[in-house]
Amino acid sequence: MLMRTWPSPLGMMTMTGDDAGLTGLWFEGQRHMPDLCGCGDGDCPVFDLTVRWLEDYFSGGRPDVEIPLLLSGTAFQLSVWGQLEKIPYGCTTSYGEIARRLGCQSARAVGLAVGRNPISLIIPCHRVIGSDGRLTGYAGGLWRKEALLRLEGVLPQED
């Protein structure tokens, strides 16, 4: 597996992957980021696609770059991450709503799976909020979640 970093407007990001696809995308200091000591610095086509996606996203666009994703997790995590991929740009949903869609009794279990999402932004875990509308739990830091939701127009821009 290879690794590459990219300087986003919200801090350094690390991506991992190989010729088959992207396996990870994390902000520096993000909770649940794995130990990447076994990864070599390098380049593969998926990194170039990911950088194009990120540049478009952070410039306020709605990226349409198709990135092959290689997800590894439990069946429950994969089902939660699948629900995250369905949240449209500029929209939010709650942990409880995802739990209801999956027939799960626990919004907390959904929250734990959301927090373990290995591909930030592209699988938009930042679009999940509390049932009361509050910004809660983001492995990359609540300040980043707020900035991402402002970028997408969910929250008003600060003066």
Side-chain angles (χ1 to χ4, degrees), residues 92-148:
T92 60
T93 193
S94 70
Y95 299 95
E97 179 57 33
I98 293 172
R100 280 188 288 285
R101 285 187 210 142
L102 294 174
C104 173
Q105 298 295 317
S106 174
R108 179 167 162 62
V110 167
L112 292 172
V114 169
R116 295 258 182 205
N117 171 21
I119 302 181
S120 295
L121 301 181
I122 296 170
I123 298 178
C125 52
H126 62 281
R127 295 179 187 151
V128 185
I129 60 175
S131 60
D132 61 0
R134 287 186 304 129
L135 301 187
T136 60
Y138 186 62
L142 282 179
W143 69 273
R144 284 190 179 114
K145 183 174 195 165
E146 183 176 343
L148 295 168

Side-chain angles (χ1 to χ4, degrees), residues 59-83:
S59 68
R62 296 182 185 197
D64 61 358
V65 177
E66 289 292 322
I67 299 172
L69 305 179
L70 299 176
L71 292 168
S72 178
T74 67
F76 180 72
Q77 287 172 330
L78 292 170
S79 67
V80 169
W81 301 338
Q83 289 296 310

Side-chain angles (χ1 to χ4, degrees), residues 57-61 89 146-155 157:
Y57 178 81
F58 280 111
S59 68
Y89 181 98
E146 183 176 343
L148 295 168
L149 293 175
R150 284 188 197 291
L151 176 69
E152 292 186 18
V154 174
L155 298 175
Q157 294 297 321

